[in-house]
Amino acid sequence: MSISKITIAVDGYAACGKSTLAKSLAKSLDYIYVDSGAMYRAVTLYFLDNNIDINNSLHVEQAIKNIKIHFKNINNNNYTFLNNVNVEDNIRTPQVSDFVSPVATISIVRKAMVRLQQLMGAQGGIVMDGRDIGTVVFKNAELKLFLTASLEERTRRRMLEWELKGIKNITAREVSSNLQKRDHIDSTREDSPLRKANDAIEIDNSDMTPEEQLAFSLDIVENVLRKTKINS
Ligand code: DC
C-alpha cells in the first residue's frame, strides 16, 4: 500500500540554512518546495517599487489586491514571479532584506500569504520553509523541523551568498546586524511571531555541512513515514 505524501514544515532564524535544507529534502522526496520568505520578499519589492506607505492600511490592502505571486521550476531551479515577472534576483538584495521584516509584521499581508501557502500545500507532499509554518500555516504537519545556527556561522553563510551574487560592498558587521534586527522583529511581532512549535524537532546545524544536515533530516523523515504508515 502506498501512503500519501506528508507535509514538512521547516522554520528558524534568518540565514540558518532553511531553504538549503527544504529544497534538498523536496528534491530527495520528489515533493513540492515552497520558500515562503520569497513571498514576503516579493510583497516587499512591490511596496518599495510602488512607494506603498506601510502605515497606511488602506494603501496596503489595495496593494495586496494587485499582487500575484507564483513559483516556477526551471531546470531544477525555483524562481519567484511577481505579477508574471521573474523577480528571483531582485528580492534577494540588501535593500529588500532590510525592509522585509517590517512588511512581514502587517496582518493584512500575512493573511493573504498564509491563504496562498495553505492552498499550495492542500494536497500534502510539500516542504515549506519560513517562520510560522509549523505554528500557523501547517499546524498539523506530520513533521516540523526548527533550525538554528550560531550568529557567526549565519553571517558567514549570508556573506558568501551575497559575494557569489557580486554584492561585495557590505561588511560582516552590517550583515550580522541585519540578521539580528530581523530575528528580533520576526520573533517579537504580534501576529504569528517566529517560535519553535511544541512538537518541532530542533536541529543546530552550525557544524553540519548541507549534506550532513540533509542525511540527518532524511533519517527523521523515514521514521515519520514509518509511523504514518503504521497508523494509516
Ligand atoms: O526566509 P527569508 O529570510 O527569505 O524571509 C524573509 C522575511 O520574511 C523574514 O525576515 C520574515 C518574513 N517571513 C515571515 O514572516 N514568515 C514566513 N513564513 C517567512 C518569512
Side-chain angles (χ1 to χ4, degrees), residues 25-44:
L25 269 178
K27 197 166 171 217
S28 307
L29 299 164
D30 196 20
Y31 279 20
I32 298 166
Y33 162 64
V34 174
D35 173 357
S36 69
M39 299 167 72
Y40 291 95
R41 286 174 179 272
V43 171
T44 304

Side-chain angles (χ1 to χ4, degrees), residues 11-15 18-19 35-41 44 91-92 97 100-102 104-105 110 114 117 128-133 137 158 182-183 186 189 191-192:
D11 288 303
Y13 296 97
K18 298 182 300 294
S19 299
D35 173 357
S36 69
M39 299 167 72
Y40 291 95
R41 286 174 179 272
T44 304
I91 60 169
R92 311 279 168 196
S97 296
V100 63
S101 284
T105 62
R110 300 207 68 81
V114 169
Q117 289 152 10
M128 190 177 288
D129 77 274
R131 305 293 190 289
D132 60 341
I133 311 305
V137 181
R158 188 45 53 94
R182 281 170 54 206
D183 287 345
D186 294 345
R189 68 180 174 223
D191 190 341
S192 37

Side-chain angles (χ1 to χ4, degrees), residues 21 26 28 61 89 118 120 136 139 156-157 181 189 218 226 228:
L21 175 64
S28 307
E61 204 164 350
D89 285 338
Q118 289 173 335
M120 289 172 173
V136 174
K139 274 191 196 144
R156 195 190 65 78
R157 291 176 191 166
K181 202 164 75 190
R189 68 180 174 223
L218 279 173
R226 209 174 300 131
T228 313

Side-chain angles (χ1 to χ4, degrees), residues 8-25 33 127-135 143-151 153-154 157-158 183 186-187 194-197 199-218 220-221:
I8 303 177
V10 180
D11 288 303
Y13 296 97
C16 65
K18 298 182 300 294
S19 299
T20 304
L21 175 64
K23 226 180 272 177
S24 54
L25 269 178
Y33 162 64
V127 188
M128 190 177 288
D129 77 274
R131 305 293 190 289
D132 60 341
I133 311 305
T135 51
L143 175 59
K144 299 177 185 177
L145 299 174
F146 190 86
L147 299 191
T148 62
S150 68
L151 180 63
E153 183 55 25
R154 294 191 287 133
R157 291 176 191 166
R158 188 45 53 94
D183 287 345
D186 294 345
S187 45
L194 163 66
R195 62 172 185 79
K196 177 176 167 278
D199 50 350
I201 299 170
E202 185 166 334
I203 304 174
D204 182 337
N205 66 18
S206 303
D207 297 318
M208 286 183 185
T209 63
E211 293 75 21
E212 285 167 344
Q213 134 171 297
L214 174 63
F216 188 82
S217 307
L218 279 173
I220 302 175
V221 172

Side-chain angles (χ1 to χ4, degrees), residues 61-104:
E61 204 164 350
Q62 190 51 52
I64 282 293
K65 285 187 187 146
N66 294 332
I67 293 177
K68 298 261 171 306
I69 297 169
H70 75 275
F71 294 103
K72 211 182 231 174
N73 191 292
I74 307 169
N75 297 331
N76 265 330
N77 287 313
N78 213 44
Y79 296 95
T80 311
F81 283 73
L82 168 63
N83 293 336
N84 292 320
V85 176
N86 184 342
V87 291
E88 190 55 39
D89 285 338
N90 301 358
I91 60 169
R92 311 279 168 196
T93 61
Q95 198 199 7
V96 170
S97 296
D98 259 346
F99 197 48
V100 63
S101 284
V103 169

